[in-house]
Amino acid sequence: MSTPLRIKEAIVVEGRYDKAAVAAVADTLILETAGFGVFKDAERLALLRRLAAVRGLIILTDSDGAGFVIRNHLKGAIPGGQLKHAYIPDVAGKERRKRAPGKEGKLGVEGMKPDVLREAILRCGATVLDENAPDRPAGNLTPADLFALGLSGAPDAAARRAALLRRLDLPEHMGAKALLAALNALYTRTELDGVLKEK
C-alpha cells in the first residue's frame, strides 16, 4: 500500500467508517458531518467554515442522494473558493459491516478501495505537500503538550478545555483528541502560544 498523501486541505466525510477509510490514504485532518447531523449543528458547521478559510476543505461524501444533499448543504454554507469536491464512482454493492445494501444499493466512501479514494482526492485538486513542507499550519502540539497545559489528564482539565473552546469559538463537546487536531489545524505554534497566554 502506498504512503498516505500529505495534503493541505482538511477533508469532510459523512461518518466514522468513512473517516477510517480516508485516513488510510490521506494524511490530513478529517472531520465528520455525522450524516445529516451537520444540518442542526451550528458549532460543527462553524468549525468547518473556519477550517475552509484557513486550509481549504475537500468534501468527500457518498455518491447516493443523501451524500449529495449533505454536499449541497455544505456548498451553500461555505464560500466556493474554499471548497474542493472529491467524488467517488457509483459502485453497486454493500459494505462488509452491513447486513443489507443502502437504499440505492451503492457502496459509500467506506466501501471504496484505497486507490479509488486516493484518485478521487488527487482529481479534485488537493494540494499535495512534499516531505519537506512544513506541517499545516505548524501547530505541532502533542498530547503531552495538552497535558502540560492542563487541558488533559488533570482534575480540572475538562473545565479548562471548555473555557478554551468557548474562547476559540470551537464546539463545546470536543474532547482532548479532537481539540488537539483542531488546534494544530487552525493555528501556528506562535499564534497558539499567544492565544493560550490570553486570559
Side-chain angles (χ1 to χ4, degrees):
M1 191 166 141
S2 52
T3 307
L5 297 164
R6 285 187 71 227
I7 64 170
K8 176 186 169 206
E9 296 85 1
I11 299 176
V12 63
V13 296
E14 292 179 46
R16 64 182 172 161
Y17 295 103
D18 301 332
K19 182 176 179 178
V22 173
V25 299
D27 174 13
T28 190
L29 180 62
I30 304 166
L31 297 128
E32 304 164 36
T33 66
F36 292 135
V38 73
F39 291 13
K40 295 178 181 173
D41 191 339
E43 289 181 337
R44 187 182 305 255
L45 189 56
L47 176 59
L48 293 176
R49 282 187 180 122
R50 288 202 33 214
L51 284 165
V54 172
R55 296 174 58 161
L57 193 64
I58 294 172
I59 300 176
L60 180 54
T61 56
D62 293 350
S63 63
D64 61 5
F68 274 87
V69 168
I70 294 166
R71 182 184 297 273
N72 289 332
H73 177 72
L74 295 175
K75 196 161 62 168
I78 298 169
Q82 299 170 359
L83 290 177
K84 293 180 180 175
H85 293 272
Y87 296 95
I88 59 169
D90 281 342
V91 176
K94 73 168 190 67
E95 284 81 11
R96 276 185 261 180
R97 71 178 178 86
K98 295 181 179 174
R99 289 186 178 172
K103 195 161 117 179
E104 295 180 32
K106 299 175 185 177
L107 286 177
V109 169
E110 73 171 277
M112 291 291 126
K113 292 182 177 171
D115 57 329
V116 172
L117 293 175
R118 185 182 179 92
E119 182 60 29
I121 291 166
L122 288 171
R123 210 173 30 240
C124 81
T127 308
V128 179
L129 304 171
D130 67 33
E131 66 268 2
N132 299 319
D135 285 340
R136 315 149 305 265
N140 298 331
L141 273 184
T142 66
D145 292 321
L146 281 193
F147 179 79
L149 292 165
L151 296 168
S152 70
D156 61 346
R160 287 171 178 253
R161 253 192 336 270
L164 180 61
L165 289 168
R166 276 192 301 276
R167 202 164 70 210
L168 300 179
D169 289 324
L170 292 172
E172 67 176 315
H173 297 295
M174 273 188 164
K177 189 174 176 182
L179 173 62
L180 182 65
L183 291 176
N184 280 330
L186 293 167
Y187 299 96
T188 65
R189 185 60 189 248
T190 306
E191 291 167 342
L192 194 52
D193 287 343
V195 166
L196 294 172
K197 284 175 187 165
E198 291 172 10
K199 292 296 175 191

